[in-house]
Amino acid sequence: MTSSALNTPRGPVTRKDVARYAGVSTAVVSYVVNGGPKRVAPATEAKVQDAIRVLGYRPNAAARALKLGSSETLGLIVPDNTNPFFSLLAHAVEDAAAALGYTLVLTNSDGNLAKERRNVRNLAARQVDGVLLASVLFEPDLEDLEKAAIPSVLLNQGREAAGFNSIGVDLATGARIAVEHLLGHGHTRIGLAMGTNVSSEVDGRERGWLQALRDAGVPEGQIVHGEFTRPGGYLAGQRLIASANRPTAIFASSDMQAIGILRAVREAGMTVPGDIALASFDGSVEAEYSWPALTTMEQPVRAMAEAAVDALVGAGRGEPAQHRIFPTELRVRQSCGCP
Amino acid sequence: MTSSALNTPRGPVTRKDVARYAGVSTAVVSYVVNGGPKRVAPATEAKVQDAIRVLGYRPNAAARALKLGSSETLGLIVPDNTNPFFSLLAHAVEDAAAALGYTLVLTNSDGNLAKERRNVRNLAARQVDGVLLASVLFEPDLEDLEKAAIPSVLLNQGREAAGFNSIGVDLATGARIAVEHLLGHGHTRIGLAMGTNVSSEVDGRERGWLQALRDAGVPEGQIVHGEFTRPGGYLAGQRLIASANRPTAIFASSDMQAIGILRAVREAGMTVPGDIALASFDGSVEAEYSWPALTTMEQPVRAMAEAAVDALVGAGRGEPAQHRIFPTELRVRQSCGCP
DNA sequence: TTGAAAGCGCTAACAA
DNA sequence: TTGTTAGCGCTTTCAA
């Protein structure tokens, strides 16, 4: 405390203090700090660098943001960063943003519409340069962003939303591949544990599941809806197990649900994959360490994060809105019955 | 796009536009927006509110931050938000911060000292009003924060660090309780899977483990160091299993490690808790859904997050630096051998 | 190569 | 109750 007082006599050190100390103008300090837009004589630059070091000068980002009209900040809204899928996404987005000099503001909407809206508004007010929204909604309310002309991209979005950048994964194809794998193990009664979205439209995973069943000429399986969480999966598992025409295999729309199903199956005194085979969606790390390890469709989270950031503030900025779809990849482990 | 163009003829709407539209001064707009510091006549206020709505005005946070010297933002630095413990912490911190009107900037240091330092610097430059640091270091480098007079609090900190606010959990007592529980099951060869910290000091969990063993008059067990991750635990588990004097019980310094150990035990053809009993530390949700479910010491994450935010920008701000220690609570499940 | 100065949008002290 | 205005720290144009 005393030492810092000695080093920096006054309160915050501004660019003016540096200029005075170095015997130059404030403009020159700016040139040195930003490496432009004008060149500075080496000797002068050294003096300035020295002053910066001695005074412990740190540029004020708020002032810079005000002047430039850019906060060099991106906002990310997820339903719940405690969900491994979103925590990975957040990490990847942060990395991608940092690579371009942007800092990340993370907010959770807790699957709550009012909160999501509040977060959007808050981010808009903070003049973030872009917002990535993994919405709980089908048709998110981006009015505030539009008015503020803040670029945005919808993540985790199954289908195209007119006028918005969006990034998603091919849910239907992924589900189809997973279900086909289950069919390949000889199952003919394949249930679906589906998460619930606030959406008017049938989820791609449900469509893919159904399609695979139909293509195989197998009867349509049971379907149970619930939350995209471990407890949600647990409940779904219990219901599927208790159903009259108990499935011999289940496709879960997320790894978290599958983890819950695993528990339900165990508690019912049965085993995975012996009594019930299981495949899921997401490809989170947790799926690799569960018992048995989950066969799952892995989403290319890093690539999606990079594409999203890029659309906002990278090469893709200013381009017309696009809907980018990524493929998922089958990770075969033991829950499906593979050795 | 066209509609927004109609609503807001010019680019960004400023407080000046609102003032002009409402036929008042900019000061009045300020008073209305901020609810003070001066009172405004109801009729005037209505006019202003109207103008705000019509023009779609949103205050510029950067300008406000510049003027006020506060960005109403908090920074959080964690090693890896993909770790369930930290993702929960981040969520809790966000909630606590939001309750006080602050927004959260999340950064990962990836257990990398240079990155941690860069993050600290970046946050300082952004004039955050406080920084919460879950450091990978024993003696973190907070020079930048000190110079900028930005309040900070060390999270996840086992011991007192002179001059810093810090918040931690009673590691030693927690570990002792867990190990005593294992002892209660009759185990006398209890190994330790310890995570590695960049610290000069013995971790409290190691001390607690040892103390419990000594107090019970039981020989000192094996200790294996590794990362605080699933793979780290997996490796540690393999080594413990392969050791000459194989333990019959293991205490893991984190749930993630315990998850890895679970896998190692299975792959060795043994069972938990039959062949090896297990207890761990953290109390994450994942511990509840593993198989078998983990007996673990639960950390009061929400309370810690609230205390941290409070020390920074709540009632505790300006108070002298404190070290707050929270207790952990034993969650008995099946991995220890309990039914 | 360097400097002077305008102005980004906002708050709040002061004046009316 | 409302208005005027200085100035927060920075960038950058324009002039020297």
Coordinates of all heavy atoms in Angstrom, one line a residue, chain B residues 134-168:
Chain B
A134 N -9.4 -16.9 -8.9 CA -9.1 -18.2 -8.4 C -7.8 -18.6 -9.1 O -7.8 -19.1 -10.2 CB -10.3 -19.2 -8.8
S135 N -6.8 -18.3 -8.4 CA -5.5 -18.3 -9.0 C -4.9 -19.7 -9.0 O -5.2 -20.6 -8.2 CB -4.5 -17.4 -8.2 OG -3.2 -17.4 -8.8
V136 N -4.0 -19.9 -10.0 CA -3.2 -21.2 -10.0 C -2.0 -21.0 -9.1 O -1.3 -21.9 -8.9 CB -2.8 -21.5 -11.4 CG1 -4.0 -21.8 -12.3 CG2 -1.9 -20.4 -12.1
L137 N -1.8 -19.8 -8.7 CA -0.6 -19.5 -8.0 C -0.8 -19.3 -6.5 O -1.9 -19.0 -6.0 CB -0.1 -18.1 -8.4 CG 0.5 -18.1 -9.8 CD1 0.8 -16.7 -10.2 CD2 1.7 -18.9 -9.8
F138 N 0.3 -19.5 -5.8 CA 0.2 -19.3 -4.4 C 0.2 -17.8 -4.1 O -0.6 -17.3 -3.4 CB 1.4 -20.0 -3.7 CG 1.5 -19.7 -2.3 CD1 0.5 -20.1 -1.4 CD2 2.6 -19.0 -1.8 CE1 0.5 -19.8 -0.1 CE2 2.6 -18.7 -0.4 CZ 1.6 -19.1 0.4
E139 N 1.1 -17.2 -4.7 CA 1.3 -15.7 -4.4 C 1.0 -15.0 -5.7 O 1.9 -14.7 -6.5 CB 2.7 -15.5 -4.0 CG 3.0 -14.1 -3.3 CD 2.3 -14.2 -1.9 OE1 2.7 -15.0 -1.1 OE2 1.4 -13.3 -1.7
P140 N -0.3 -14.7 -6.0 CA -0.6 -14.2 -7.3 C -0.1 -12.8 -7.5 O 0.2 -12.1 -6.5 CB -2.1 -14.1 -7.2 CG -2.5 -14.4 -5.8 CD -1.4 -14.9 -5.1
D141 N 0.1 -12.5 -8.7 CA 0.7 -11.2 -9.1 C -0.4 -10.2 -9.3 O -1.0 -10.0 -10.4 CB 1.5 -11.4 -10.4 CG 2.1 -10.2 -10.9 OD1 2.1 -9.2 -10.1 OD2 2.5 -10.1 -12.1
L142 N -0.7 -9.5 -8.3 CA -1.9 -8.5 -8.4 C -1.4 -7.1 -8.5 O -2.2 -6.1 -8.2 CB -2.8 -8.7 -7.1 CG -4.0 -9.5 -7.4 CD1 -3.9 -10.5 -8.5 CD2 -4.4 -10.2 -6.1
E143 N -0.2 -6.9 -8.9 CA 0.4 -5.6 -8.9 C -0.4 -4.6 -9.7 O -0.7 -3.5 -9.3 CB 1.8 -5.7 -9.6 CG 2.8 -4.6 -9.3 CD 3.9 -4.7 -10.2 OE1 4.3 -5.8 -10.6 OE2 4.5 -3.6 -10.6
D144 N -0.9 -5.1 -10.9 CA -1.7 -4.2 -11.7 C -2.9 -3.8 -11.0 O -3.4 -2.6 -11.2 CB -2.0 -5.0 -13.0 CG -0.8 -5.1 -13.9 OD1 -0.1 -6.1 -13.7 OD2 -0.6 -4.3 -14.8
L145 N -3.5 -4.7 -10.3 CA -4.8 -4.3 -9.6 C -4.5 -3.4 -8.5 O -5.2 -2.4 -8.3 CB -5.4 -5.6 -9.0 CG -5.9 -6.6 -10.0 CD1 -6.5 -7.8 -9.3 CD2 -6.9 -6.0 -11.0
E146 N -3.4 -3.6 -7.8 CA -3.0 -2.7 -6.7 C -2.8 -1.3 -7.2 O -3.3 -0.3 -6.7 CB -1.8 -3.2 -6.0 CG -2.0 -4.4 -5.1 CD -0.7 -4.8 -4.4 OE1 0.3 -5.0 -5.1 OE2 -0.7 -5.0 -3.2
K147 N -2.0 -1.2 -8.3 CA -1.7 0.1 -8.8 C -3.0 0.8 -9.3 O -3.1 2.0 -9.1 CB -0.8 -0.1 -10.1 CG 0.6 -0.4 -9.7 CD 1.6 0.5 -10.5 CE 3.0 0.1 -10.2 NZ 3.6 -0.7 -11.3
A148 N -3.9 0.1 -9.8 CA -5.2 0.7 -10.3 C -6.2 0.8 -9.1 O -7.3 1.3 -9.4 CB -5.7 -0.1 -11.4
A149 N -5.7 0.4 -8.0 CA -6.6 0.5 -6.8 C -7.9 -0.3 -7.0 O -9.0 0.2 -6.6 CB -6.9 1.9 -6.4
I150 N -7.8 -1.4 -7.7 CA -9.0 -2.2 -8.0 C -9.1 -3.3 -6.9 O -8.2 -4.0 -6.7 CB -8.9 -2.9 -9.3 CG1 -9.0 -1.8 -10.4 CG2 -10.1 -3.9 -9.5 CD1 -8.8 -2.3 -11.8
P151 N -10.2 -3.3 -6.2 CA -10.4 -4.3 -5.1 C -10.3 -5.7 -5.7 O -10.8 -5.9 -6.8 CB -11.8 -4.0 -4.6 CG -12.2 -2.7 -5.1 CD -11.4 -2.5 -6.3
S152 N -9.8 -6.6 -5.0 CA -9.7 -8.0 -5.4 C -9.9 -8.9 -4.3 O -9.7 -8.6 -3.1 CB -8.3 -8.2 -6.1 OG -7.3 -8.0 -5.1
V153 N -10.3 -10.1 -4.7 CA -10.4 -11.2 -3.7 C -10.0 -12.5 -4.3 O -10.2 -12.8 -5.4 CB -11.9 -11.3 -3.2 CG1 -12.9 -11.3 -4.3 CG2 -12.1 -12.4 -2.2
L154 N -9.2 -13.2 -3.5 CA -8.7 -14.5 -3.9 C -9.7 -15.5 -3.5 O -10.1 -15.6 -2.4 CB -7.4 -14.7 -3.2 CG -6.1 -14.3 -3.9 CD1 -6.3 -13.2 -4.8 CD2 -5.0 -13.9 -2.8
L155 N -10.0 -16.3 -4.5 CA -11.0 -17.4 -4.2 C -10.2 -18.7 -4.1 O -9.1 -18.8 -4.6 CB -12.0 -17.5 -5.4 CG -13.0 -16.4 -5.4 CD1 -13.8 -16.6 -6.7 CD2 -13.9 -16.5 -4.3
N156 N -10.9 -19.7 -3.4 CA -10.3 -21.0 -3.6 C -8.9 -21.0 -2.9 O -8.0 -21.7 -3.4 CB -10.2 -21.3 -5.1 CG -10.3 -22.8 -5.3 OD1 -10.8 -23.5 -4.4 ND2 -9.8 -23.2 -6.4
Q157 N -8.7 -20.1 -2.0 CA -7.4 -19.9 -1.4 C -7.4 -20.6 0.0 O -8.2 -20.3 0.8 CB -7.2 -18.4 -1.2 CG -5.8 -18.0 -0.9 CD -4.9 -18.2 -2.1 OE1 -5.3 -18.5 -3.2 NE2 -3.6 -18.0 -1.9
G158 N -6.4 -21.5 0.1 CA -6.4 -22.3 1.3 C -5.9 -21.5 2.5 O -6.4 -21.6 3.6
R159 N -5.0 -20.5 2.3 CA -4.5 -19.8 3.4 C -4.5 -18.3 3.2 O -4.7 -17.8 2.1 CB -3.1 -20.3 3.8 CG -2.1 -20.3 2.7 CD -0.7 -20.2 3.2 NE -0.3 -18.8 3.1 CZ 0.8 -18.4 3.7 NH1 1.5 -19.1 4.5 NH2 1.2 -17.1 3.6
E160 N -4.2 -17.7 4.2 CA -4.2 -16.2 4.2 C -3.1 -15.7 3.4 O -2.0 -16.2 3.4 CB -4.0 -15.7 5.7 CG -4.3 -14.3 5.9 CD -4.9 -14.1 7.3 OE1 -5.2 -15.1 7.9 OE2 -5.2 -13.0 7.6
A161 N -3.4 -14.7 2.6 CA -2.3 -14.0 1.8 C -2.3 -12.5 2.3 O -3.3 -11.9 2.2 CB -2.6 -14.1 0.3
A162 N -1.2 -12.1 2.8 CA -1.1 -10.8 3.5 C -1.7 -9.7 2.6 O -1.3 -9.5 1.4 CB 0.3 -10.5 3.9
G163 N -2.6 -8.9 3.1 CA -3.1 -7.7 2.4 C -4.1 -8.0 1.4 O -4.7 -7.1 0.8
F164 N -4.5 -9.3 1.2 CA -5.5 -9.6 0.2 C -6.8 -10.1 0.9 O -6.7 -10.9 1.9 CB -5.1 -10.7 -0.8 CG -4.0 -10.2 -1.7 CD1 -2.8 -10.9 -1.7 CD2 -4.2 -9.1 -2.5 CE1 -1.8 -10.4 -2.6 CE2 -3.3 -8.7 -3.4 CZ -2.0 -9.3 -3.4
N165 N -7.9 -9.7 0.3 CA -9.1 -10.4 0.7 C -9.0 -11.8 0.1 O -8.6 -12.0 -1.0 CB -10.3 -9.8 0.0 CG -10.8 -8.5 0.7 OD1 -11.1 -8.6 1.9 ND2 -10.9 -7.4 0.0
S166 N -9.4 -12.8 0.9 CA -9.4 -14.1 0.4 C -10.6 -14.9 1.0 O -11.1 -14.6 2.0 CB -8.1 -14.8 0.6 OG -7.8 -14.9 1.9
I167 N -11.0 -15.9 0.2 CA -12.1 -16.7 0.6 C -11.8 -18.1 0.2 O -11.3 -18.4 -0.8 CB -13.4 -16.3 -0.2 CG1 -13.8 -14.9 0.4 CG2 -14.5 -17.3 -0.1 CD1 -15.2 -14.5 0.1
G168 N -11.9 -19.0 1.2 CA -11.6 -20.3 1.0 C -12.4 -21.3 1.8 O -13.4 -20.8 2.4

